[in-house]
Amino acid sequence: MRYRRTRAGVFSSLLAAILAVTALPAQANGQPAAIALQTQAEPNQVQNMTVVQGDGYATLAWTHVDGATDYQIERTPVAEDGTATGAGVIVGVWRPNRQINNDKPTFADAGFAPGDRFQWRVRARFGTEAQPYSAAVTATTKPHWGDPNIPGQNLRTQWEQTLGAQYTSDVNEYAYTAAIDELSDRVRVTEIGRTVNNRPINMFVIGYPKPPATPEAVAATSPLVVNCNVHGNEPGDREACFIMARQLAFTSDQATLSLLSKTTVLIVPTINGDGRAANSRGNSTGQDLNRDHSLIRQPETQAFAEMVRDYRPIAGYDGHEYGNSNTGDLPMLSPRHANVAQGIFDESQDMIEGHMYTQGAKDGWWACPYGCTPGATVGLGQETILRNTLGLKNVVNSLLELRSSGGPTRPNESNTANNRRRKTYSGLWTFNQFFQYHGAALKDLNKARADAIKFQSANTGPIVLEGSREIKAYPAPHPGEAPPPVDAPREENILQHAPCAYKLTEEQYNGARTDGPGGQGTTVAQRLAAHGWKVIKTADGYIVPLSQPQRGLVPLLLDEQAVAGLVAGERIMPTVTGTRKGALTVSGVTCIADATVRGAITVKKGATLIATGSTINGLVHADRAAGFVLTDSKVNAMVNVLNTAGPVIMVGNKINGSVLVHGTKASGPANVANGVIGAPLVAGNNLTGLLTCTSNAVTPVNLETPNTVRGLKIGQCARL
């Protein structure tokens, strides 16, 4: 089914009163637009031009001239009395492929110093033949956000203070970040890790009236995350994130505060502090961190993976810059890897095409699919890239690329400061629109997340080891000229029959690695724990079930045919399929898939049951098992899981009876034993009886995927 393209009804009430920080046109903030005073029109002269001020940009709109092939936007600096203080310059060229409704042209002019005063005019062109300019509009642009007389609001970054001449240094970043933390009760700054060179990787945790106190409490608010600077030489989004953090920390806008009271905003301004300090793409080892989010060989990517595991954002944006000067202002792209759940892909596409394209057309920004021009070889399905890794972790998300140079549509950006200001304020617009989208679409985002967790845990369908979902061209008129390239999976990269699990040896799991900084590396055990995977210790190795929420990522790291894998694990295939008459006793590792068991199942001490897509017509009883996995199955009796030494996973089952989960030990590496790794996962089940959880070493979790229970939820499962 094709993903949705519009969400007009959902957004109508929200957009009427959304915050000053979200960079909507000035009318939405109670500020009238400046309007051209039109005299007798000349032939083909642009009419009805308006200029509306946003944060760091001005939206120009006018009536379309029949036959016009493009428009030129002229900007002239003027004094308070209207006299020109400099020459008029063509700062923009509007072309029909900028927006989805090109009969209502708009252009976001940006690059100027905030607070300066200008005159704007627009003229149509027929081919290369210029037509008469519109009547002029004069207005003063908005200054930097925040009242200079109010503590907190008066903070400014190094970038703002120098009007884009300098980027914010790490020293200035830490001072600015600490000041926001100190002055705003809405903000907690937490260090999520350290770079190779021991720079702190900080994260803003923002909520109202104050952020939740723990990662688990944040996760319960369905948070959103913005990753601002993975490539050190692409700092425009990082500056936007600093401004957004100040806006959210100190705004008095009630619509913003209402949204912040319902969710939590996570902003990671500088994951690659070493690369930013050196103005290099990679980190201090030369590693491109955006090719390491699945492999997590570097401390920076491991810190981010652990943050995603613990805080569980349901939506995200990842900021970059793009060197194609012929593309749009804001190329975007959803998680494309073919193993991403359909609902996550659809919702990500809806966020881009249904919201960003629509709002871009209103405010004058040119959003388009990453690549945006024919022949671009970017935007493929590598699982190592954050947008794909997040999609495989069931996070609705998008890449954001700020076009690095002005190109033919912004010809005034040979001035470095103009270019930097346009990039940063276009990023600020995008992140604030993302905040709006998240608030309006929260119900849909949570549903997509829950459905994806149940789908992945069911271990249903083929596994693609390399290849992407197709992204079709947006119907004309469309933003951009071409969709991302087709990256269809090749037959040899498809496992038509997915394994039940992968088995790793002691050496594979806990052995030393040399693929990290300085020839050192964390173990596979530590990396799988950073992702949040459940691993079962058996007598002769370690079992990684595919029946868990990140199923689509597991083979990409552990299969012998993986393109960017960690180790070549042994495939464990189902051992019980079809119909089995009578009771089943499990010793060792037993995988049941698409089976009907006409009797009880008993899991003996030290044994492991992995059952998915099956029907069980009898009591399921496990006592002192090594691990217990039951997903996407129907059980016509009670399920008792007692004193399990390793992971317990129960997702998406229909159980005509009660469930008892008792005495589960804390499993996983010692450094995460008390977190989500060691917690029994009981999510998305439908029970006719009781759901009882007692004496488990770690309180069970449902990953915000609630269970439907006709009876009572008792003990540690009371909130599941």
Side-chain angles (χ1 to χ4, degrees), residues 45-71:
Q45 184 181 24
V46 166
Q47 302 291 306
N48 304 316
M49 192 181 79
T50 61
V51 180
V52 178
Q53 301 303 321
D55 282 325
Y57 71 97
T59 299
L60 281 67
W62 59 90
T63 300
H64 178 60
V65 176
D66 289 341
T69 54
D70 66 16
Y71 298 87

Short mmCIF file of all heavy atoms in Angstrom, two decimals, residues 45-71:
data_model
loop_
_atom_site.label_atom_id
_atom_site.label_comp_id
_atom_site.label_asym_id
_atom_site.label_seq_id
_atom_site.Cartn_x
_atom_site.Cartn_y
_atom_site.Cartn_z
N GLN A 45 3.72 41.70 -15.09
CA GLN A 45 4.33 42.12 -13.84
C GLN A 45 3.78 41.30 -12.68
O GLN A 45 2.58 41.04 -12.59
CB GLN A 45 4.06 43.61 -13.59
CG GLN A 45 4.75 44.17 -12.36
CD GLN A 45 4.43 45.64 -12.13
OE1 GLN A 45 3.39 46.12 -12.60
NE2 GLN A 45 5.31 46.35 -11.44
N VAL A 46 4.66 40.88 -11.77
CA VAL A 46 4.24 40.11 -10.59
C VAL A 46 3.34 40.97 -9.71
O VAL A 46 3.64 42.15 -9.45
CB VAL A 46 5.47 39.64 -9.79
CG1 VAL A 46 5.07 39.14 -8.41
CG2 VAL A 46 6.21 38.54 -10.55
N GLN A 47 2.24 40.37 -9.26
CA GLN A 47 1.26 41.07 -8.42
C GLN A 47 1.16 40.40 -7.05
O GLN A 47 1.52 39.24 -6.86
CB GLN A 47 -0.12 41.02 -9.10
CG GLN A 47 -0.16 41.62 -10.50
CD GLN A 47 0.03 43.13 -10.46
OE1 GLN A 47 -0.68 43.83 -9.76
NE2 GLN A 47 1.02 43.61 -11.21
N ASN A 48 0.63 41.17 -6.09
CA ASN A 48 0.23 40.65 -4.77
C ASN A 48 1.38 40.02 -4.00
O ASN A 48 1.22 39.01 -3.30
CB ASN A 48 -0.90 39.62 -4.93
CG ASN A 48 -2.08 40.17 -5.67
OD1 ASN A 48 -2.51 41.30 -5.42
ND2 ASN A 48 -2.61 39.40 -6.62
N MET A 49 2.54 40.63 -4.07
CA MET A 49 3.67 40.09 -3.33
C MET A 49 3.57 40.43 -1.86
O MET A 49 3.23 41.56 -1.49
CB MET A 49 4.99 40.61 -3.89
CG MET A 49 6.19 39.83 -3.34
SD MET A 49 7.77 40.41 -3.95
CE MET A 49 8.05 41.85 -2.93
N THR A 50 3.88 39.44 -1.02
CA THR A 50 3.95 39.65 0.43
C THR A 50 5.29 39.12 0.94
O THR A 50 5.91 38.24 0.33
CB THR A 50 2.81 38.91 1.16
OG1 THR A 50 2.93 37.51 0.91
CG2 THR A 50 1.45 39.40 0.69
N VAL A 51 5.71 39.66 2.07
CA VAL A 51 6.94 39.20 2.72
C VAL A 51 6.64 38.99 4.19
O VAL A 51 6.17 39.90 4.88
CB VAL A 51 8.09 40.22 2.55
CG1 VAL A 51 9.34 39.70 3.24
CG2 VAL A 51 8.35 40.51 1.08
N VAL A 52 6.91 37.79 4.67
CA VAL A 52 6.64 37.41 6.05
C VAL A 52 7.95 36.99 6.70
O VAL A 52 8.70 36.18 6.14
CB VAL A 52 5.62 36.26 6.11
CG1 VAL A 52 5.37 35.85 7.56
CG2 VAL A 52 4.32 36.67 5.44
N GLN A 53 8.24 37.51 7.89
CA GLN A 53 9.51 37.25 8.54
C GLN A 53 9.45 36.00 9.42
O GLN A 53 8.53 35.81 10.20
CB GLN A 53 9.92 38.45 9.40
CG GLN A 53 10.07 39.75 8.63
CD GLN A 53 11.07 39.64 7.49
OE1 GLN A 53 12.11 38.98 7.62
NE2 GLN A 53 10.76 40.28 6.38
N GLY A 54 10.45 35.14 9.26
CA GLY A 54 10.65 33.99 10.13
C GLY A 54 11.98 34.12 10.84
O GLY A 54 12.66 35.14 10.74
N ASP A 55 12.38 33.08 11.56
CA ASP A 55 13.67 33.10 12.25
C ASP A 55 14.79 32.85 11.25
O ASP A 55 15.03 31.72 10.83
CB ASP A 55 13.71 32.05 13.35
CG ASP A 55 12.96 32.48 14.59
OD1 ASP A 55 13.00 33.68 14.91
OD2 ASP A 55 12.35 31.63 15.25
N GLY A 56 15.46 33.95 10.84
CA GLY A 56 16.58 33.84 9.92
C GLY A 56 16.21 33.76 8.46
O GLY A 56 17.08 33.53 7.62
N TYR A 57 14.95 33.95 8.13
CA TYR A 57 14.52 33.92 6.73
C TYR A 57 13.27 34.77 6.57
O TYR A 57 12.61 35.13 7.54
CB TYR A 57 14.26 32.49 6.25
CG TYR A 57 13.02 31.85 6.85
CD1 TYR A 57 11.81 31.84 6.16
CD2 TYR A 57 13.06 31.25 8.11
CE1 TYR A 57 10.68 31.25 6.70
CE2 TYR A 57 11.94 30.67 8.66
CZ TYR A 57 10.74 30.67 7.95
OH TYR A 57 9.62 30.09 8.49
N ALA A 58 12.97 35.08 5.32
CA ALA A 58 11.75 35.82 4.99
C ALA A 58 11.04 35.07 3.87
O ALA A 58 11.66 34.73 2.85
CB ALA A 58 12.09 37.24 4.54
N THR A 59 9.75 34.81 4.05
CA THR A 59 8.97 34.10 3.04
C THR A 59 8.32 35.09 2.10
O THR A 59 7.49 35.91 2.52
CB THR A 59 7.89 33.23 3.69
OG1 THR A 59 8.51 32.25 4.52
CG2 THR A 59 7.05 32.53 2.64
N LEU A 60 8.69 35.02 0.83
CA LEU A 60 8.08 35.83 -0.21
C LEU A 60 7.02 35.00 -0.92
O LEU A 60 7.26 33.82 -1.24
CB LEU A 60 9.11 36.30 -1.24
CG LEU A 60 10.00 37.50 -0.85
CD1 LEU A 60 10.95 37.16 0.29
CD2 LEU A 60 10.78 37.99 -2.07
N ALA A 61 5.88 35.59 -1.17
CA ALA A 61 4.81 34.91 -1.90
C ALA A 61 4.20 35.89 -2.89
O ALA A 61 4.18 37.10 -2.63
CB ALA A 61 3.75 34.38 -0.94
N TRP A 62 3.71 35.39 -4.02
CA TRP A 62 3.13 36.26 -5.05
C TRP A 62 2.19 35.45 -5.92
O TRP A 62 2.13 34.22 -5.83
CB TRP A 62 4.25 36.90 -5.89
CG TRP A 62 5.15 35.91 -6.59
CD1 TRP A 62 4.99 35.37 -7.82
CD2 TRP A 62 6.35 35.33 -6.04
NE1 TRP A 62 6.01 34.49 -8.10
CE2 TRP A 62 6.86 34.46 -7.04
CE3 TRP A 62 7.04 35.46 -4.85
CZ2 TRP A 62 8.03 33.71 -6.86
CZ3 TRP A 62 8.20 34.73 -4.67
CH2 TRP A 62 8.69 33.88 -5.66
N THR A 63 1.45 36.14 -6.76
CA THR A 63 0.53 35.49 -7.69
C THR A 63 1.27 35.05 -8.93
O THR A 63 2.05 35.81 -9.51
CB THR A 63 -0.61 36.45 -8.08
OG1 THR A 63 -1.31 36.83 -6.89
CG2 THR A 63 -1.58 35.78 -9.04
N HIS A 64 1.04 33.81 -9.32
CA HIS A 64 1.73 33.24 -10.49
C HIS A 64 1.38 34.01 -11.76
O HIS A 64 0.23 34.40 -11.98
CB HIS A 64 1.31 31.77 -10.63
CG HIS A 64 1.90 31.09 -11.82
ND1 HIS A 64 3.25 30.95 -12.01
CD2 HIS A 64 1.29 30.50 -12.90
CE1 HIS A 64 3.46 30.30 -13.15
NE2 HIS A 64 2.29 30.01 -13.69
N VAL A 65 2.38 34.23 -12.60
CA VAL A 65 2.21 34.87 -13.90
C VAL A 65 2.12 33.77 -14.96
O VAL A 65 3.04 32.96 -15.08
CB VAL A 65 3.38 35.82 -14.21
CG1 VAL A 65 3.24 36.39 -15.62
CG2 VAL A 65 3.46 36.93 -13.18
N ASP A 66 1.02 33.72 -15.67
CA ASP A 66 0.86 32.68 -16.70
C ASP A 66 2.01 32.73 -17.69
O ASP A 66 2.36 33.80 -18.21
CB ASP A 66 -0.46 32.88 -17.44
CG ASP A 66 -1.68 32.54 -16.59
OD1 ASP A 66 -1.49 31.84 -15.57
OD2 ASP A 66 -2.79 33.00 -16.92
N GLY A 67 2.58 31.58 -17.94
CA GLY A 67 3.67 31.49 -18.91
C GLY A 67 5.05 31.66 -18.32
O GLY A 67 6.04 31.41 -19.01
N ALA A 68 5.16 32.07 -17.05
CA ALA A 68 6.47 32.27 -16.45
C ALA A 68 7.18 30.93 -16.26
O ALA A 68 6.57 29.96 -15.80
CB ALA A 68 6.34 32.98 -15.11
N THR A 69 8.44 30.88 -16.62
CA THR A 69 9.23 29.66 -16.44
C THR A 69 10.01 29.68 -15.14
O THR A 69 10.35 28.64 -14.60
CB THR A 69 10.21 29.48 -17.61
OG1 THR A 69 10.98 30.67 -17.77
CG2 THR A 69 9.43 29.20 -18.90
N ASP A 70 10.36 30.86 -14.65
CA ASP A 70 10.95 31.00 -13.33
C ASP A 70 10.81 32.44 -12.86
O ASP A 70 10.24 33.28 -13.58
CB ASP A 70 12.40 30.52 -13.28
CG ASP A 70 13.35 31.38 -14.11
OD1 ASP A 70 12.99 32.51 -14.50
OD2 ASP A 70 14.48 30.92 -14.37
N TYR A 71 11.29 32.74 -11.67
CA TYR A 71 11.21 34.09 -11.11
C TYR A 71 12.56 34.43 -10.48
O TYR A 71 13.23 33.55 -9.91
CB TYR A 71 10.12 34.19 -10.04
CG TYR A 71 8.73 33.93 -10.53
CD1 TYR A 71 8.22 32.64 -10.57
CD2 TYR A 71 7.90 34.97 -10.94
CE1 TYR A 71 6.93 32.39 -11.00
CE2 TYR A 71 6.60 34.73 -11.38
CZ TYR A 71 6.13 33.43 -11.42
OH TYR A 71 4.85 33.19 -11.86
#
